[in-house]
Amino acid sequence: MSKNYRILDLLRRGRTPLENHLIDGLIDGRISRREFVRHGSLLGLSLPLLGRIGMAAGFGAAPSLARAGAPGATIRVGSSVPAAAIDPVTIADAGGLLVMQQVAEFLCVDGPDLVLKPALAESWSPNTDGTVWTFKLRKGVKFHSGGEMKADDVVASIDRLADPANSSNALSVFTGILQKGASKKVDDYTVEFHLDAPNGNFPYMLSSDNYNAVIIPASYKGGYEQSFDGTGPFKIEKYTPKVGASFVRNDDYWGEKALPDRTEFTFFTDIQPQILALQGGQIDIINQMPVLAGVAVLNDPNVDIISLKSSAHQQLHMHCDEGPTKDARVRRAIALCLDREKLAAGLMKGRSALGNDSPFAAVYPSTDTSVPQRKQDIAQAKQLMEAAGLAQGFKMTLTTERYLEIPEYAQLIQNWVKEIGIELELNILDQSAYYGDAVFGKSNWLDSAMGITDYGHRGVPNVYLAAPLKSDGTWNAAHFKNKDYDQLATSYIAALDLEAQKADAGKIQKLLLEETPVIFGYFYDYLTATAKGVAGVQPTAMSQLFLDKASKG
């Protein structure tokens, strides 16, 4: 299709220089339509407007949404057991956040395409340098308890999460970005967020990407399991700790009413009973299906697999300040031992993307794809070991968690590094022993000289760039301290413009290939299994499950 410059000129009117620069990138071919829609949504441009601009720029109409299914079903879900009391401030496990998300909503939702969609907020926009973001709230939204959701509720909800005194799980997101008291009510339907520093990706911190950031009443004082108060399309019917939960349609919902009459969640301590329950017809959905444990159902004709590309991964950290891995040449040598194609095809059964030893997954529009992919090269690895004075190799312990395919990944690494003389002893712990208190000095994760840790999906790489890699990072298990890196990460996080983000990303990717404090071997797909005939299920790679459009054939 040809470009319609008259329509484009009309659509440009009133747009900011930043927004028009993004439109120029689409018209000139510097960025793809996918990148344009995703970044435009981040800047607060509406999806209909982005669609009209795409049409005028010659890209044709966006694909239409699938037709809704039949109403009235009961949708039955199998999930992991919530690990602790369900509280929006402290919740940190997949089972707990899945239950909470059924009743409570976010200001915006990060979809499987990483496009931000409005939810409790209708729109948002940054100031010129990205230090203040303004969110306009939807009017007429009611909590299940009856009151209208307004700015006071939003301010109170986010302040709780940003307050260090609350042991908030979201401090990993908000520390250094948003402090308690920096969320300001402008009027009943407008909130300003005054940030510690410029942040071009901030709306993701208030989206479903930050699973704690649900909006609940300002009056909340704890005891969430007694109320399960929220604004969502379902209301709590019954919750039994360690057993399950059920929900019913909220007929007072602000948006389209949910299709199912009820949803039921059954908690399981292991994946195998979930697989048997799905195959036996006791449940309709397994929220997350690990690749290795789920091989039996991946090719089952009675099961559909929803596969989402994600940024979830298993980080292999190496101490950069002591022991043999203090030398970057040794760290690079270890990274060169990995056969990433075999990891993707064998270990992950084709359900992953190759990692290139930085947080920049293929799923991110800002990833610089021109940076060469690291491949297995044993000869070069041996040369690096010799240059480091360690041609004879050494012994070391690799400590990790018993979770998903990590133990098998550790065994593959153990075998591969033998070729350059490294003898790895594996120390595989249950998750509670591995993570400990999750602070330095009291955590096998953070204190091990070499370890493998699971990192869940994020719609933008900010948390990955900061927490495990910046000099002052709260999860810097590699003890990596590099001023050049810190400056580049800060610059990337501050950038509002997609092309500026890409430029910083390329520099970060090259620096981390040189230093290799952490090996990113692969980014795994997030898999959800559903029984045949179940439609309209929308998982996210953050372990959420949106069921308002679900139906049974």
Side-chain angles (χ1 to χ4, degrees), residues 7-28 30-31 36 39-40 43 45 49-50 53 496-497 499:
I7 298 292
L8 282 170
D9 285 344
L10 286 171
L11 293 171
R12 282 175 175 279
R13 288 181 188 170
R15 304 264 67 88
T16 67
L18 181 67
E19 292 163 350
N20 275 319
H21 182 65
L22 181 69
I23 295 169
D24 287 340
L26 178 71
I27 295 168
D28 297 345
R30 297 193 306 272
I31 61 172
F36 171 74
H39 202 76
L43 296 177
L45 298 176
L49 173 62
L50 292 168
I53 294 169
L496 284 163
D497 177 63
E499 290 168 82

Side-chain angles (χ1 to χ4, degrees), residues 319-401:
H319 273 179
C320 298
D321 58 349
E322 60 186 0
T325 56
K326 182 177 183 178
D327 192 320
R329 292 170 294 189
V330 174
R331 302 194 297 269
R332 290 203 300 276
I334 292 171
L336 287 166
C337 291
L338 272 64
D339 187 332
R340 294 161 202 254
E341 283 82 4
K342 273 190 180 172
L343 280 176
L347 180 68
M348 301 309 296
K349 313 299 179 193
R351 306 274 185 168
S352 69
L354 300 187
N356 202 26
D357 298 336
S358 87
F360 285 98
V363 74
Y364 291 138
S366 55
T367 297
D368 184 345
T369 54
S370 71
V371 176
Q373 171 66 49
R374 179 170 270 166
K375 299 181 183 299
Q376 187 182 51
D377 190 333
I378 300 299
Q380 189 185 348
K382 287 179 176 177
Q383 290 172 7
L384 287 166
M385 290 288 282
E386 188 171 350
L390 289 167
Q392 302 307 308
F394 55 84
K395 292 183 179 181
M396 199 165 180
T397 299
L398 169 57
T399 302
T400 190
E401 56 181 315

Side-chain angles (χ1 to χ4, degrees), residues 96-164:
L97 71 93
L98 175 64
V99 172
M100 178 184 72
Q101 172 256 325
Q102 299 309 306
V103 294
E105 295 183 293
F106 304 88
L107 292 176
C108 46
V109 175
D110 175 13
D113 49 7
L114 306 190
V115 172
L116 287 177
K117 298 176 178 64
L120 297 181
E122 287 187 321
S123 64
W124 50 90
S125 59
N127 64 350
T128 53
D129 66 355
T131 54
V132 179
W133 286 81
T134 303
F135 278 66
K136 297 286 187 181
L137 306 181
R138 197 177 295 279
K139 295 179 181 177
V141 175
K142 290 184 181 177
F143 288 108
H144 299 160
S145 55
E148 187 184 2
M149 182 216 68
K150 293 184 178 180
D152 288 332
D153 303 300
V154 173
V155 169
S157 294
I158 303 305
D159 266 353
R160 280 188 212 101
L161 300 179
D163 186 350

